């Protein structure tokens, strides 16, 4: 389930440019207030699959205020608006429900020192993807990486076909971790190469001291089993989803 949140903030408010980890912390803090034991288990254990990094099955968008609504000064993002929009998604309905209740109960939350009043929290109508194909646009960077002997991992770019293969394998692994069964097929991805040729898609985000994640904002078409498309739409495509990577919005097919 995905939820759309609107915040009212003082005009000229600011937060650190690298705020992904702040929003992740906010989610765990809010969920922990409503369901402490469940939230702690999700945070500490998650869902293990194939012996790899556990999956948390949630993601979120960047903070949006509209075109020209933010500027960067001295490592901080300054909002020249009084309204911000944020989207959260998870294939775990209980998590989305808990977060909705927590936001409504809190009324006001602190995001990196910025006081944000919760003015609206709405659950989106669930998408079924019954056609088996859909066009998407990134509303947080897509991340794909492969193992690297020296650096531990190497981030890929969307011009590399392996980038999209990694996303496909990632979805299948998430399905196995969540359900304990084999995925009902594999999703294929077709990037918008025209967009990639015109725009710079990469975005480097520091998620903690010494760790920079490189993702890409790029439109793409995905085709495959509706269950996997739904999982990607609700919980994120690619990796590092619980740090705010891999969220996509649908566009007209």
């Amino acid at each position: 389930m995905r939820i759309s949140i609107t915040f009212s903030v003082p005009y000229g408010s600011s937060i650190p440019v690298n705020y992904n980890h702040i929003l992740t912390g906010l989610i765990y803090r809010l969920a922990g207030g409503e369901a402490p034991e469940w939230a702690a288990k999700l945070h500490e254990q998650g869902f293990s699959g194939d012996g790899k990094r556990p999956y948390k099955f949630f993601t979120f968008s960047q903070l949006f205020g509209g075109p020209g609504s933010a500027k960067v000064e001295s490592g901080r993002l300054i909002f020249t608006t009084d309204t911000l929009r944020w989207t959260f998604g998870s294939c775990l309905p209980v998590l989305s429900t808990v977060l909705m209740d927590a936001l409504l109960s809190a009324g006001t939350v602190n995001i990196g020192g910025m006081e944000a009043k919760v003015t609206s929290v709405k659950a989106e109508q669930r998408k079924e993807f019954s056609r088996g194909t859909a066009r998407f646009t990134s509303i947080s960077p897509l991340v794909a990486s492969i193992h690297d002997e020296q650096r531990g991992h190497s981030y890929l770019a969307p011009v590399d076909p392996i980038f999209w293969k990694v996303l496909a394998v990632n979805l299948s692994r998430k399905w196995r971790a969540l359900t304990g069964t084999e995925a009902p097929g594999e999703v294929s991805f077709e990037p918008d190469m025209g967009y990639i040729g015109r725009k710079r898609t990469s975005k480097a985000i520091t998620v903690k001291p010494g760790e920079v994640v490189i993702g890409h904002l790029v439109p793409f078409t995905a085709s495959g089993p509706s269950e996997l498309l739904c999982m990607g739409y609700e919980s994120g495509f690619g990796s590092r989803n619980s740090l705010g990577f891999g969220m996509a919005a649908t566009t007209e097919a």
Side-chain angles (χ1 to χ4, degrees):
M1 183 170 71
R2 285 172 51 141
I3 58 177
S4 300
I5 305 104
T6 304
F7 295 115
S8 174
V9 299
Y11 187 95
S13 296
S14 70
I15 58 175
V17 169
N18 295 297
Y19 61 78
N20 286 47
H21 67 290
I22 295 173
L23 291 176
T24 297
L26 174 66
I27 291 165
Y28 282 124
R29 190 164 66 249
L30 289 169
E34 290 286 318
E37 292 185 5
W38 190 87
K41 184 176 180 180
L42 178 67
H43 183 211
E44 295 167 8
Q45 299 179 20
F47 294 78
S48 297
D50 298 339
K52 305 293 183 180
R53 182 193 300 270
Y55 303 113
K56 306 302 176 65
F57 291 113
F58 72 84
T59 190
F60 53 86
S61 72
Q62 298 175 305
L63 292 169
F64 292 102
S69 62
K71 58 183 179 180
V72 177
E73 289 184 6
S74 301
R76 295 189 69 83
L77 191 63
I78 302 172
F79 294 108
T80 53
T81 180
D82 59 5
T83 302
L84 296 175
R85 293 174 291 107
W86 187 42
T87 305
F88 172 88
S90 175
C91 62
L92 306 173
V94 63
L95 179 55
S96 296
T97 300
V98 163
L99 188 64
M100 285 185 69
D101 292 344
L103 284 165
L104 290 170
S105 297
T108 300
V109 296
N110 185 292
I111 305 174
M114 175 180 69
E115 292 298 311
K117 181 180 179 182
V118 180
T119 57
S120 175
V121 183
K122 297 179 180 178
E124 294 185 6
Q125 184 174 353
R126 195 170 192 267
K127 294 186 182 295
E128 298 295 338
F129 299 104
S130 57
R131 292 177 57 190
T133 186
R135 278 212 307 258
F136 297 92
T137 184
S138 304
I139 55 176
S140 69
L142 292 171
V143 175
S145 63
I146 57 175
H147 179 71
D148 182 284
E149 291 292 343
Q150 293 183 333
R151 292 175 289 180
H153 58 263
S154 177
Y155 290 109
L156 303 171
V159 293
D160 187 341
I162 298 177
F163 180 99
W164 303 100
K165 180 63 176 179
V166 168
L167 263 60
V169 171
N170 176 271
L171 270 181
S172 296
R173 287 176 173 169
K174 285 174 181 169
W175 181 267
R176 287 197 296 271
L178 183 65
T179 69
T181 63
E182 289 299 312
E186 186 171 284
V187 172
S188 61
F189 293 88
E190 182 180 344
D192 185 336
M193 296 304 294
Y195 182 93
I196 293 172
R198 296 191 308 271
K199 302 280 189 177
R200 177 181 175 181
T201 64
S202 63
K203 189 165 185 178
I205 296 175
T206 301
V207 295
K208 64 182 180 181
E211 183 176 359
V212 177
V213 175
I214 301 174
H216 294 266
L217 295 168
V218 58
F220 61 93
T221 299
S223 303
S226 58
E227 304 97 318
L228 296 185
L229 294 178
C230 187
M231 173 176 278
Y233 179 73
E234 291 185 334
S235 298
F237 294 97
S239 60
R240 313 307 294 274
N241 302 138
S242 62
L243 278 169
F245 294 95
M247 176 165 265
T250 55
T251 62
E252 292 186 7

